[in-house]
Amino acid sequence: MFLRMKLPLAALFALCVVPLHGALDESLHTLAAVGSEGRGNEAASAAWKDVVQSGPASLPALLAATGKGSPVADNWLRVAGDTIVQNARKQGKALPVNEVEAFLTDTKNAPAARQLAFDLLKAADPIRADTLEPSLATDPVQELRRGAVQRLIDAAQGKQGEAAKTAWLAGLEVVRDEDQTKLIAGELRKLSVPVDLPKHFGFLMQWQVIGPFDNSERKGFETVFAPEKEIRLDASYDGKSGQVRWQPFVSGDEYGKLDFNKPLGMLKEVTAYAVTTFDSAEERDVELRLGCKDAWKIWVNGQFLFGRDEYHRGQQMDQYRLKCHLKKGANTILVKCCQNEQKEQWTVEWEFQLRVCDGAGTAILASTTSAK
């Protein structure tokens, strides 16, 4: 026996929609939970299809789920978002561009999610994205600045004299990516305008270095040598082939590279340390961005931050982005760098570069920076 009930249209709509929203939330949660090395991929495959089938209305929720899990999870969500937009455009369905733009312009949202919002907006409504992009030149997300900075570069290239100088300086003020900065700095120097790249990027240039300690059979990475136990710049220790002491070293490289080969010699199977003091004007969160092709570890104020035990896999600026917290006043930054046994010419480099910045790549300059 069935009971027939008459319900208001709004109530019937709610009965249909709530379960769908619940299913969408569950599917998005499954995608956001995907881990590295394929963890959760099997469940994600089914969830991805459910999210895509939910159509354009799911885009705000999809954006809200992005940036809260692993990079692999964000990739699942990105591909789902791209597919939803592509399908909607083919089928002539409306897209929630107002909601996507509002999400993008809210700087409290996760950086990865805001980047995805811009890319989806560009795919859904290229004219709208093109109109919005110039306003991103000072955005707190580095990746969102790039297109706006490129517009400034394009505009500056057609100018001469003082107009060119003004245009290139405006670009330098907001540029954060290495390649664009190098281009702008080159143009300014053609106009006899000096550019201080270490200051622009926030590279740490003044250090005390000590070594060599042993790294035979690559055991130095895990070996706890004296500088990991104490920082005493007046002390001497047993090194790989005799007593070693701290010595000052100032990088002369525009991109802040500290080359251990210069103060310590062209050595193999060795470990060295560099230490500096960074005076912060306030207590704050920062990013330490490192470039290094050797095995390395970093400590801040005696607390281990991170490390990588691998060699000669290539080096680039901002290769590693490490979030850390600085106290107000003096902060000690210690870097350990190991060189292995390889003799090929491309393995000679025994160096690193390190800078202090915010999430947009904007340099955070010390009140004073010292190796003492």
Side-chain angles (χ1 to χ4, degrees):
M1 178 178 180
F2 294 93
L3 296 176
R4 300 183 66 182
M5 301 175 62
K6 291 185 178 182
L7 293 174
L9 183 60
L12 287 171
F13 180 77
L15 288 174
C16 296
V17 170
V18 171
L20 290 177
H21 279 195
L24 174 62
D25 289 344
E26 184 176 344
S27 295
L28 289 171
H29 177 76
T30 299
L31 292 183
V34 175
S36 58
E37 301 177 359
R39 293 195 304 273
N41 274 351
E42 186 175 346
S45 182
W48 183 88
K49 293 178 183 177
D50 292 339
V51 171
V52 170
Q53 289 174 359
S54 67
S58 68
L59 287 179
L62 183 150
L63 290 171
T66 303
K68 296 180 179 177
S70 70
V72 178
D74 284 349
N75 190 57
W76 277 98
L77 292 162
R78 170 175 283 277
V79 177
D82 289 341
T83 305
I84 289 170
V85 171
Q86 290 171 13
N87 290 346
R89 297 196 72 184
K90 288 178 184 177
Q91 298 164 9
K93 292 183 178 179
L95 286 157
V97 290
N98 289 336
E99 291 88 342
V100 172
E101 182 176 337
F103 187 96
L104 165 64
T105 55
D106 185 350
T107 58
K108 295 191 296 294
N109 290 321
R114 294 184 61 234
Q115 177 66 59
L116 176 57
F118 179 73
D119 293 341
L120 294 179
L121 183 65
K122 189 159 53 173
D125 192 337
I127 295 176
R128 190 164 184 166
D130 188 66
T131 302
L132 176 69
E133 190 171 50
S135 68
L136 301 176
T138 58
D139 197 88
V141 176
Q142 183 173 347
E143 292 77 8
L144 286 172
R145 290 181 176 231
R146 187 172 179 86
V149 171
Q150 188 59 50
R151 291 167 179 263
L152 295 175
I153 290 173
D154 294 342
Q157 287 179 338
K159 301 182 184 301
Q160 301 292 327
E162 286 299 316
K165 185 184 296 185
T166 299
W168 288 116
L169 284 171
L172 185 65
E173 183 70 23
V174 296
V175 68
R176 297 296 179 263
D177 290 345
E178 180 184 8
D179 59 335
Q180 291 180 325
T181 301
K182 187 177 293 186
L183 187 155
I184 291 172
E187 294 298 325
L188 284 168
R189 286 167 175 170
K190 290 177 186 177
L191 297 168
S192 301
V193 179
V195 179
D196 187 340
L197 289 180
K199 182 177 180 181
H200 176 80
F201 284 119
F203 286 115
L204 302 181
M205 308 293 283
Q206 300 181 48
W207 298 87
Q208 291 274 349
V209 300
I210 191 170
F213 297 93
D214 193 26
N215 191 33
S216 299
E217 300 178 352
R218 305 191 183 189
K219 294 179 179 178
F221 183 81
E222 293 296 347
T223 302
V224 179
F225 295 109
E228 296 178 40
K229 302 174 185 177
E230 63 175 8
I231 302 295
R232 287 181 49 209
L233 298 184
D234 60 348
S236 61
Y237 306 101
D238 292 331
K240 182 174 183 177
S241 54
Q243 290 285 292
V244 294
R245 300 180 61 88
W246 291 99
Q247 55 180 299
F249 185 82
V250 178
S251 173
D253 183 80
E254 275 205 314
Y255 289 86
K257 291 183 180 180
L258 189 161
D259 184 356
F260 285 107
N261 291 316
K262 291 182 177 179
L264 303 181
M266 304 285 286
L267 304 173
K268 284 291 182 177
E269 296 187 283
V270 287
T271 299
Y273 294 85
V275 68
T276 191
T277 299
F278 184 94
D279 265 357
S280 179
E282 60 182 342
E283 182 178 353
R284 64 174 300 166
D285 293 322
V286 302
E287 285 189 7
L288 295 185
R289 297 194 183 181
L290 175 83
C292 184
K293 68 187 301 183
D294 304 290
W296 57 270
K297 290 183 178 181
I298 293 182
W299 294 259
V300 176
N301 295 326
Q303 298 297 312
F304 177 65
L305 191 60
F306 201 73
R308 297 280 293 195
D309 187 12
E310 55 188 14
Y311 294 86
H312 307 303
R313 65 185 298 271
Q315 177 184 339
Q316 61 186 19
M317 182 176 145
D318 295 352
Q319 192 170 0
Y320 305 100
R321 296 171 60 165
L322 313 173
K323 297 184 184 298
C324 77
H325 188 78
L326 297 182
K327 63 184 180 181
K328 182 178 180 179
N331 294 266
T332 300
I333 301 173
L334 176 69
V335 179
K336 179 179 189 175
C337 192
C338 302
Q339 174 65 295
N340 71 356
E341 75 288 347
Q342 291 175 265
K343 300 292 178 63
E344 298 89 346
Q345 183 60 36
W346 49 270
T347 71
V348 168
E349 290 87 354
W350 182 24
E351 63 188 20
F352 70 88
Q353 58 181 178
L354 185 68
R355 70 189 188 106
V356 183
C357 61
D358 64 13
T362 303
I364 297 173
L365 301 180
S367 306
T368 60
T369 305
S370 138
K372 298 180 179 179

